[in-house]
Amino acid sequence: MKPVSLKQIAKELGISITTVSKALNDYPDVSEKTRKKVKDLALKLDYSPNSFALGLRKNESKTLGLIIPDNVHYFFSSVIKGILEVAEKHDYLVIVMQSNEDYELEKKQVDLLISKGVAGILISLSNRTHIFDHLNKIINNGIPLLLFDKISKNVNCSKVFIDDRKSAYEAVSYLIKKGYKRIAHFRGDLNPQNSIDRFLGYKKALADNNIEFDPSLVYLCNNNSDFEDGYNSAKKLISDHQGNVDALFTVNDLLAIGAIKYFNQNNIKIPEQIALMGFSNWFMASVITPALTTVEQNGFEMGKKAADILFHEINCIRKGISFEPQKVVIPTELIFRESS
């Protein structure tokens, strides 16, 4: 069935389309009796206004754009939930797009969102994003932009993120306090800032505890959301070091879970022979055997805060009020489980 239109309501009541529109929007120049007749019929016919068309008429979009690098990642699903909760309170729709860690695709998606006239855009950058002209294009079009999680320091917009370096430092320091000295690291791509900062936090924790950094204990996982990458890197780690490693810190939980599978299959006891520390606190981290010690990123809170800031900026633009970009750091916490 086609949706009910203003024209149908007007025809059935024998009044103009303009009168129907005014009645539904409580214009004072329409009598209370007519407003009631129009609203009663609209309710009976299950009339629903076209929010997109209303937005065009008012020059006010009720849609946000959201670009994430990977929807497989549990963390991003938590962020999306937080964003959607806030958007629904403001009666906004959210267009969710996935860049698949592809810079060129991310650029195309930005252009598409701009062309759709969205009110604001939230992005967690792909691992391959190294030029930021497409992000500046958003800002130059007068659209509020907010970066979250995987951000760039070179773009002048609001950002919501965690202190990856501090969080990694605390995670590795915990392992050292538990007595582990030969700590390997499965790091992410060389490009994204969060991968860099988690690696730097790892190195600083070693240095502050007088443990010499051994580059042979660091394994680059180009696809850092790949379970198989964790499995294969664990295999290589054991082959390379023949038991001369007692702990492993991974840039995210999925790599750690892949490593756990390899260790379990090869009768390498966790944590007796090797302890593990992940990062993100995926749901799987709590149900795998042994359960994984990890860093809670609080993705839901990150999503809510990101959306709150974006709506503040949207309202400022519509009222002609200037605003300064914000930087908000979401706190993390260590979740202690059997793997360490």
Side-chain angles (χ1 to χ4, degrees):
M1 293 177 62
K2 290 184 178 180
V4 177
S5 66
L6 293 177
K7 185 177 180 180
Q8 287 174 260
I9 296 173
K11 184 177 180 181
E12 188 158 335
L13 293 176
I15 58 179
S16 70
I17 294 173
T18 301
T19 300
V20 172
S21 178
K22 284 185 173 184
L24 290 171
N25 287 281
D26 291 317
Y27 276 61
D29 59 343
V30 178
S31 71
E32 186 175 340
K33 181 180 178 181
T34 300
R35 278 184 289 181
K36 185 176 188 308
K37 285 169 64 177
V38 169
K39 289 182 179 180
D40 286 348
L41 182 57
L43 185 64
K44 178 182 176 182
L45 298 177
D46 198 22
Y47 168 75
S48 179
N50 185 324
S51 61
F52 182 72
L54 284 172
L56 288 177
R57 286 197 291 273
K58 295 179 180 180
N59 195 26
E60 180 182 301
S61 170
K62 298 283 284 184
T63 308
L64 303 180
L66 170 61
I67 301 176
I68 58 171
D70 189 347
N71 69 3
V72 173
H73 204 299
Y74 177 76
F75 166 72
F76 287 117
S77 68
S78 300
V79 174
I80 291 171
K81 287 180 183 177
I83 292 171
L84 290 178
E85 180 175 291
V86 176
E88 286 167 6
K89 288 179 181 177
H90 289 266
D91 198 25
Y92 268 62
L93 299 175
V94 182
I95 301 172
V96 182
M97 311 185 87
Q98 181 178 322
S99 69
N100 294 323
E101 302 288 8
D102 186 320
Y103 166 62
E104 293 298 331
L105 181 55
E106 182 179 283
K107 287 198 301 179
K108 290 178 182 177
Q109 291 172 342
V110 164
D111 285 339
L112 179 60
L113 291 174
I114 292 174
S115 73
K116 292 295 182 184
V118 296
I121 297 177
L122 307 103
I123 304 179
S124 182
L125 299 176
S126 82
N127 287 342
R128 308 289 185 268
T129 300
H130 57 290
I131 300 172
F132 308 104
D133 291 348
H134 62 307
L135 303 182
N136 291 320
K137 183 177 180 181
I138 297 171
I139 298 168
N140 293 337
N141 272 272
I143 301 172
L145 167 66
L146 186 139
L147 298 180
F148 66 93
D149 185 46
K150 293 199 282 187
I151 65 171
S152 168
K153 297 176 181 177
N154 300 317
V155 181
N156 185 31
C157 68
S158 291
K159 304 174 180 79
V160 179
F161 52 97
I162 65 169
D163 189 333
D164 285 285
R165 193 175 306 193
K166 179 174 178 285
S167 300
Y169 178 89
E170 291 172 348
V172 177
S173 295
Y174 165 77
L175 291 174
I176 294 170
K177 287 175 185 175
K178 294 287 287 184
Y180 303 107
K181 303 296 183 186
R182 293 279 293 169
I183 304 172
H185 178 43
F186 290 178
R187 65 163 297 169
D189 261 336
L190 298 175
N191 185 46
Q193 192 63 49
N194 59 359
S195 175
I196 294 168
D197 286 340
R198 290 175 200 180
F199 170 65
L200 293 175
Y202 159 79
K203 283 186 72 175
K204 190 174 189 314
L206 297 178
D208 286 356
N209 288 277
N210 299 311
I211 298 175
E212 184 178 354
F213 170 64
D214 182 352
S216 74
L217 290 175
V218 178
Y219 290 78
L220 180 64
C221 298
N222 291 315
N223 188 354
N224 64 8
S225 290
D226 191 340
F227 171 88
E228 292 299 326
D229 212 347
Y231 183 94
N232 294 330
S233 294
K235 182 178 181 179
K236 192 171 190 310
L237 173 68
I238 297 304
S239 173
D240 290 345
H241 294 280
Q242 298 295 326
N244 189 24
V245 58
D246 56 14
L248 169 62
F249 168 57
T250 62
V251 73
N252 67 35
D253 286 349
L254 197 54
L255 291 174
I257 292 168
I260 287 174
K261 180 181 179 183
Y262 176 80
F263 296 147
N264 284 344
Q265 285 182 347
N266 290 273
N267 299 316
I268 298 170
K269 295 181 180 179
I270 308 168
E272 292 84 358
Q273 292 174 268
I274 187 167
L276 273 91
M277 170 72 72
F279 204 109
S280 291
N281 196 27
W282 284 43
F283 168 73
M284 287 177 64
S286 64
V287 298
I288 194 169
T289 302
L292 179 65
T293 298
T294 187
V295 177
E296 170 60 68
Q297 281 187 264
N298 292 313
F300 182 75
E301 293 304 319
M302 182 180 288
K304 285 180 63 178
K305 188 62 180 179
D308 281 336
I309 292 173
L310 193 68
F311 276 114
H312 166 72
E313 295 182 358
I314 289 169
N315 289 331
C316 284
I317 287 176
R318 286 178 177 163
K319 293 176 182 177
I321 302 170
S322 62
F323 59 89
E324 288 295 320
Q326 299 182 48
K327 292 182 180 178
V328 176
V329 179
I330 302 296
T332 61
E333 58 186 308
L334 289 176
I335 305 297
F336 306 107
R337 297 194 181 105
E338 290 87 348
S339 71
S340 65

mmCIF file of all heavy atoms in Angstrom, residues 125 129 132 135 147 150-157 159 193:
data_model
loop_
_atom_site.group_PDB
_atom_site.id
_atom_site.type_symbol
_atom_site.label_atom_id
_atom_site.label_comp_id
_atom_site.label_asym_id
_atom_site.label_seq_id
_atom_site.Cartn_x
_atom_site.Cartn_y
_atom_site.Cartn_z
ATOM 1 N N LEU A 125 38.364 6.471 11.504
ATOM 2 C CA LEU A 125 39.145 6.403 10.272
ATOM 3 C C LEU A 125 39.623 4.988 9.958
ATOM 4 O O LEU A 125 39.898 4.193 10.856
ATOM 5 C CB LEU A 125 40.351 7.331 10.361
ATOM 6 C CG LEU A 125 40.040 8.818 10.548
ATOM 7 C CD1 LEU A 125 41.331 9.608 10.731
ATOM 8 C CD2 LEU A 125 39.251 9.350 9.364
ATOM 9 N N THR A 129 43.826 5.441 5.928
ATOM 10 C CA THR A 129 43.617 6.876 5.733
ATOM 11 C C THR A 129 44.862 7.654 6.139
ATOM 12 O O THR A 129 45.274 7.628 7.297
ATOM 13 C CB THR A 129 42.398 7.367 6.537
ATOM 14 O OG1 THR A 129 41.239 6.656 6.085
ATOM 15 C CG2 THR A 129 42.177 8.849 6.347
ATOM 16 N N PHE A 132 43.848 13.809 4.377
ATOM 17 C CA PHE A 132 42.615 14.180 5.067
ATOM 18 C C PHE A 132 41.807 15.258 4.352
ATOM 19 O O PHE A 132 40.966 15.925 4.962
ATOM 20 C CB PHE A 132 42.962 14.629 6.501
ATOM 21 C CG PHE A 132 43.808 13.629 7.237
ATOM 22 C CD1 PHE A 132 45.167 13.857 7.428
ATOM 23 C CD2 PHE A 132 43.266 12.444 7.683
ATOM 24 C CE1 PHE A 132 45.959 12.925 8.079
ATOM 25 C CE2 PHE A 132 44.044 11.499 8.336
ATOM 26 C CZ PHE A 132 45.398 11.741 8.535
ATOM 27 N N LEU A 135 38.069 14.950 4.730
ATOM 28 C CA LEU A 135 37.533 15.367 6.030
ATOM 29 C C LEU A 135 37.408 16.884 6.099
ATOM 30 O O LEU A 135 36.414 17.419 6.607
ATOM 31 C CB LEU A 135 38.436 14.860 7.157
ATOM 32 C CG LEU A 135 38.666 13.343 7.204
ATOM 33 C CD1 LEU A 135 39.527 12.972 8.392
ATOM 34 C CD2 LEU A 135 37.338 12.590 7.252
ATOM 35 N N LEU A 147 35.408 12.913 14.917
ATOM 36 C CA LEU A 147 36.201 11.694 14.800
ATOM 37 C C LEU A 147 36.193 10.967 16.135
ATOM 38 O O LEU A 147 36.327 11.601 17.189
ATOM 39 C CB LEU A 147 37.635 12.018 14.396
ATOM 40 C CG LEU A 147 37.851 12.713 13.045
ATOM 41 C CD1 LEU A 147 39.335 12.953 12.802
ATOM 42 C CD2 LEU A 147 37.257 11.901 11.904
ATOM 43 N N LYS A 150 39.589 5.888 16.140
ATOM 44 C CA LYS A 150 40.730 6.062 15.235
ATOM 45 C C LYS A 150 40.652 7.462 14.629
ATOM 46 O O LYS A 150 39.869 7.713 13.719
ATOM 47 C CB LYS A 150 40.740 4.958 14.171
ATOM 48 C CG LYS A 150 41.027 3.584 14.763
ATOM 49 C CD LYS A 150 41.486 2.588 13.733
ATOM 50 C CE LYS A 150 40.362 2.033 12.919
ATOM 51 N NZ LYS A 150 40.803 0.944 12.021
ATOM 52 N N ILE A 151 41.474 8.339 15.181
ATOM 53 C CA ILE A 151 41.381 9.757 14.861
ATOM 54 C C ILE A 151 42.662 10.231 14.172
ATOM 55 O O ILE A 151 43.630 9.482 14.044
ATOM 56 C CB ILE A 151 41.150 10.588 16.137
ATOM 57 C CG1 ILE A 151 42.383 10.484 17.067
ATOM 58 C CG2 ILE A 151 39.889 10.141 16.846
ATOM 59 C CD1 ILE A 151 42.366 11.430 18.240
ATOM 60 N N SER A 152 42.658 11.492 13.739
ATOM 61 C CA SER A 152 43.857 12.151 13.233
ATOM 62 C C SER A 152 44.058 13.448 14.003
ATOM 63 O O SER A 152 43.103 14.202 14.228
ATOM 64 C CB SER A 152 43.727 12.456 11.745
ATOM 65 O OG SER A 152 44.761 13.333 11.336
ATOM 66 N N LYS A 153 45.303 13.709 14.386
ATOM 67 C CA LYS A 153 45.631 14.960 15.065
ATOM 68 C C LYS A 153 45.680 16.125 14.095
ATOM 69 O O LYS A 153 45.768 17.285 14.499
ATOM 70 C CB LYS A 153 46.973 14.816 15.787
ATOM 71 C CG LYS A 153 46.964 13.757 16.880
ATOM 72 C CD LYS A 153 48.342 13.580 17.508
ATOM 73 C CE LYS A 153 48.319 12.500 18.593
ATOM 74 N NZ LYS A 153 49.655 12.269 19.176
ATOM 75 N N ASN A 154 45.618 15.834 12.785
ATOM 76 C CA ASN A 154 45.790 16.863 11.754
ATOM 77 C C ASN A 154 44.483 17.456 11.250
ATOM 78 O O ASN A 154 44.494 18.231 10.299
ATOM 79 C CB ASN A 154 46.568 16.275 10.566
ATOM 80 C CG ASN A 154 47.934 15.778 10.964
ATOM 81 O OD1 ASN A 154 48.637 16.431 11.724
ATOM 82 N ND2 ASN A 154 48.315 14.611 10.470
ATOM 83 N N VAL A 155 43.367 17.074 11.856
ATOM 84 C CA VAL A 155 42.064 17.581 11.414
ATOM 85 C C VAL A 155 41.455 18.391 12.562
ATOM 86 O O VAL A 155 41.371 17.914 13.694
ATOM 87 C CB VAL A 155 41.121 16.431 11.018
ATOM 88 C CG1 VAL A 155 39.784 16.977 10.533
ATOM 89 C CG2 VAL A 155 41.761 15.562 9.936
ATOM 90 N N ASN A 156 41.020 19.608 12.253
ATOM 91 C CA ASN A 156 40.495 20.508 13.274
ATOM 92 C C ASN A 156 39.000 20.277 13.475
ATOM 93 O O ASN A 156 38.153 20.970 12.915
ATOM 94 C CB ASN A 156 40.760 21.964 12.883
ATOM 95 C CG ASN A 156 40.349 22.933 13.980
ATOM 96 O OD1 ASN A 156 40.410 22.607 15.157
ATOM 97 N ND2 ASN A 156 39.913 24.124 13.591
ATOM 98 N N CYS A 157 38.693 19.250 14.256
ATOM 99 C CA CYS A 157 37.296 18.942 14.571
ATOM 100 C C CYS A 157 37.252 18.297 15.946
ATOM 101 O O CYS A 157 38.298 17.998 16.537
ATOM 102 C CB CYS A 157 36.702 18.006 13.525
ATOM 103 S SG CYS A 157 37.407 16.338 13.551
ATOM 104 N N LYS A 159 36.843 15.431 18.760
ATOM 105 C CA LYS A 159 37.315 14.044 18.788
ATOM 106 C C LYS A 159 36.956 13.414 20.128
ATOM 107 O O LYS A 159 37.054 14.042 21.175
ATOM 108 C CB LYS A 159 38.829 13.996 18.573
ATOM 109 C CG LYS A 159 39.310 14.666 17.287
ATOM 110 C CD LYS A 159 40.830 14.703 17.209
ATOM 111 C CE LYS A 159 41.298 15.369 15.923
ATOM 112 N NZ LYS A 159 41.216 16.831 15.991
ATOM 113 N N GLN A 193 46.681 5.826 14.505
ATOM 114 C CA GLN A 193 47.260 6.393 15.719
ATOM 115 C C GLN A 193 47.078 5.481 16.925
ATOM 116 O O GLN A 193 47.964 5.377 17.773
ATOM 117 C CB GLN A 193 46.622 7.760 16.001
ATOM 118 C CG GLN A 193 47.339 8.580 17.060
ATOM 119 C CD GLN A 193 48.760 8.948 16.660
ATOM 120 O OE1 GLN A 193 48.985 9.434 15.570
ATOM 121 N NE2 GLN A 193 49.716 8.707 17.541
#
